[in-house]
mmCIF file of all heavy atoms in Angstrom:
data_model
loop_
_atom_site.group_PDB
_atom_site.id
_atom_site.type_symbol
_atom_site.label_atom_id
_atom_site.label_comp_id
_atom_site.label_asym_id
_atom_site.label_seq_id
_atom_site.Cartn_x
_atom_site.Cartn_y
_atom_site.Cartn_z
ATOM 1 N N LEU A 16 43.751 -36.501 -21.483
ATOM 2 C CA LEU A 16 42.305 -36.467 -21.492
ATOM 3 C C LEU A 16 41.814 -35.884 -20.152
ATOM 4 O O LEU A 16 42.317 -36.255 -19.076
ATOM 5 C CB LEU A 16 41.735 -37.856 -21.682
ATOM 6 C CG LEU A 16 42.190 -38.619 -22.985
ATOM 7 C CD1 LEU A 16 41.583 -39.972 -23.001
ATOM 8 C CD2 LEU A 16 41.814 -37.804 -24.197
ATOM 9 N N THR A 17 40.790 -35.053 -20.198
ATOM 10 C CA THR A 17 40.147 -34.460 -19.006
ATOM 11 C C THR A 17 38.728 -34.599 -19.128
ATOM 12 O O THR A 17 38.111 -34.453 -20.176
ATOM 13 C CB THR A 17 40.506 -32.945 -18.918
ATOM 14 O OG1 THR A 17 41.934 -32.775 -18.937
ATOM 15 C CG2 THR A 17 39.976 -32.275 -17.655
ATOM 16 N N TRP A 18 38.082 -34.933 -17.948
ATOM 17 C CA TRP A 18 36.681 -35.071 -17.927
ATOM 18 C C TRP A 18 36.108 -34.463 -16.627
ATOM 19 O O TRP A 18 36.314 -34.992 -15.556
ATOM 20 C CB TRP A 18 36.240 -36.521 -17.953
ATOM 21 C CG TRP A 18 34.772 -36.669 -18.153
ATOM 22 C CD1 TRP A 18 33.755 -36.676 -17.194
ATOM 23 C CD2 TRP A 18 34.036 -36.779 -19.403
ATOM 24 N NE1 TRP A 18 32.551 -36.770 -17.737
ATOM 25 C CE2 TRP A 18 32.652 -36.852 -19.141
ATOM 26 C CE3 TRP A 18 34.463 -36.804 -20.725
ATOM 27 C CZ2 TRP A 18 31.707 -36.984 -20.104
ATOM 28 C CZ3 TRP A 18 33.503 -36.969 -21.701
ATOM 29 C CH2 TRP A 18 32.161 -37.020 -21.393
ATOM 30 N N VAL A 19 35.534 -33.256 -16.794
ATOM 31 C CA VAL A 19 34.802 -32.528 -15.761
ATOM 32 C C VAL A 19 33.429 -32.341 -16.317
ATOM 33 O O VAL A 19 33.268 -31.415 -17.111
ATOM 34 C CB VAL A 19 35.504 -31.255 -15.364
ATOM 35 C CG1 VAL A 19 34.699 -30.528 -14.194
ATOM 36 C CG2 VAL A 19 36.928 -31.462 -14.886
ATOM 37 N N GLU A 20 32.481 -33.137 -15.871
ATOM 38 C CA GLU A 20 31.115 -33.125 -16.489
ATOM 39 C C GLU A 20 30.606 -31.731 -16.741
ATOM 40 O O GLU A 20 30.569 -30.846 -15.889
ATOM 41 C CB GLU A 20 30.186 -33.870 -15.469
ATOM 42 C CG GLU A 20 28.819 -34.205 -16.104
ATOM 43 C CD GLU A 20 28.879 -35.424 -17.003
ATOM 44 O OE1 GLU A 20 29.671 -36.301 -16.751
ATOM 45 O OE2 GLU A 20 28.078 -35.436 -17.994
ATOM 46 N N LYS A 21 30.198 -31.517 -17.979
ATOM 47 C CA LYS A 21 29.565 -30.316 -18.454
ATOM 48 C C LYS A 21 30.509 -29.053 -18.435
ATOM 49 O O LYS A 21 30.029 -27.941 -18.621
ATOM 50 C CB LYS A 21 28.295 -29.983 -17.695
ATOM 51 C CG LYS A 21 27.255 -31.061 -17.909
ATOM 52 C CD LYS A 21 25.948 -30.737 -17.315
ATOM 53 C CE LYS A 21 25.092 -31.937 -17.279
ATOM 54 N NZ LYS A 21 23.886 -32.016 -17.819
ATOM 55 N N LYS A 22 31.789 -29.341 -18.241
ATOM 56 C CA LYS A 22 32.771 -28.200 -18.256
ATOM 57 C C LYS A 22 33.899 -28.437 -19.284
ATOM 58 O O LYS A 22 34.089 -27.698 -20.138
ATOM 59 C CB LYS A 22 33.364 -27.942 -16.913
ATOM 60 C CG LYS A 22 32.343 -27.461 -15.874
ATOM 61 C CD LYS A 22 32.961 -26.427 -14.971
ATOM 62 C CE LYS A 22 31.977 -25.873 -14.050
ATOM 63 N NZ LYS A 22 31.307 -24.684 -14.420
ATOM 64 N N VAL A 23 34.580 -29.538 -19.104
ATOM 65 C CA VAL A 23 35.672 -29.927 -19.968
ATOM 66 C C VAL A 23 35.568 -31.472 -20.229
ATOM 67 O O VAL A 23 35.618 -32.217 -19.232
ATOM 68 C CB VAL A 23 37.057 -29.607 -19.333
ATOM 69 C CG1 VAL A 23 38.199 -30.125 -20.235
ATOM 70 C CG2 VAL A 23 37.232 -28.196 -19.050
ATOM 71 N N GLU A 24 35.385 -31.811 -21.453
ATOM 72 C CA GLU A 24 35.179 -33.207 -21.797
ATOM 73 C C GLU A 24 36.053 -33.537 -23.007
ATOM 74 O O GLU A 24 35.659 -33.211 -24.139
ATOM 75 C CB GLU A 24 33.721 -33.499 -22.072
ATOM 76 C CG GLU A 24 32.851 -33.213 -20.872
ATOM 77 C CD GLU A 24 31.352 -33.432 -21.116
ATOM 78 O OE1 GLU A 24 30.967 -33.839 -22.193
ATOM 79 O OE2 GLU A 24 30.550 -33.211 -20.131
ATOM 80 N N TYR A 25 37.259 -34.114 -22.733
ATOM 81 C CA TYR A 25 38.167 -34.518 -23.809
ATOM 82 C C TYR A 25 38.160 -36.035 -23.722
ATOM 83 O O TYR A 25 38.418 -36.611 -22.670
ATOM 84 C CB TYR A 25 39.583 -33.949 -23.522
ATOM 85 C CG TYR A 25 39.708 -32.422 -23.551
ATOM 86 C CD1 TYR A 25 40.960 -31.945 -23.287
ATOM 87 C CD2 TYR A 25 38.696 -31.627 -23.877
ATOM 88 C CE1 TYR A 25 41.112 -30.542 -23.304
ATOM 89 C CE2 TYR A 25 38.833 -30.248 -23.895
ATOM 90 C CZ TYR A 25 40.089 -29.709 -23.620
ATOM 91 O OH TYR A 25 40.292 -28.395 -23.656
ATOM 92 N N TRP A 26 37.983 -36.634 -24.900
ATOM 93 C CA TRP A 26 37.911 -38.119 -24.922
ATOM 94 C C TRP A 26 38.386 -38.661 -26.250
ATOM 95 O O TRP A 26 38.446 -37.964 -27.251
ATOM 96 C CB TRP A 26 36.522 -38.644 -24.545
ATOM 97 C CG TRP A 26 35.456 -38.528 -25.585
ATOM 98 C CD1 TRP A 26 35.112 -39.503 -26.465
ATOM 99 C CD2 TRP A 26 34.600 -37.407 -25.847
ATOM 100 N NE1 TRP A 26 34.077 -39.048 -27.274
ATOM 101 C CE2 TRP A 26 33.723 -37.768 -26.923
ATOM 102 C CE3 TRP A 26 34.473 -36.138 -25.307
ATOM 103 C CZ2 TRP A 26 32.780 -36.939 -27.427
ATOM 104 C CZ3 TRP A 26 33.438 -35.291 -25.799
ATOM 105 C CH2 TRP A 26 32.664 -35.684 -26.824
ATOM 106 N N ILE A 27 38.727 -39.956 -26.238
ATOM 107 C CA ILE A 27 39.063 -40.654 -27.442
ATOM 108 C C ILE A 27 37.839 -41.380 -27.973
ATOM 109 O O ILE A 27 37.216 -42.182 -27.231
ATOM 110 C CB ILE A 27 40.218 -41.676 -27.159
ATOM 111 C CG1 ILE A 27 41.497 -40.976 -26.642
ATOM 112 C CG2 ILE A 27 40.476 -42.548 -28.394
ATOM 113 C CD1 ILE A 27 42.120 -40.022 -27.685
#
Side-chain angles (χ1 to χ4, degrees):
L16 305 177
T17 302
W18 189 273
V19 179
E20 193 78 30
K21 299 187 191 234
K22 293 218 179 265
V23 177
E24 300 176 2
Y25 296 177
W26 75 94
I27 299 296

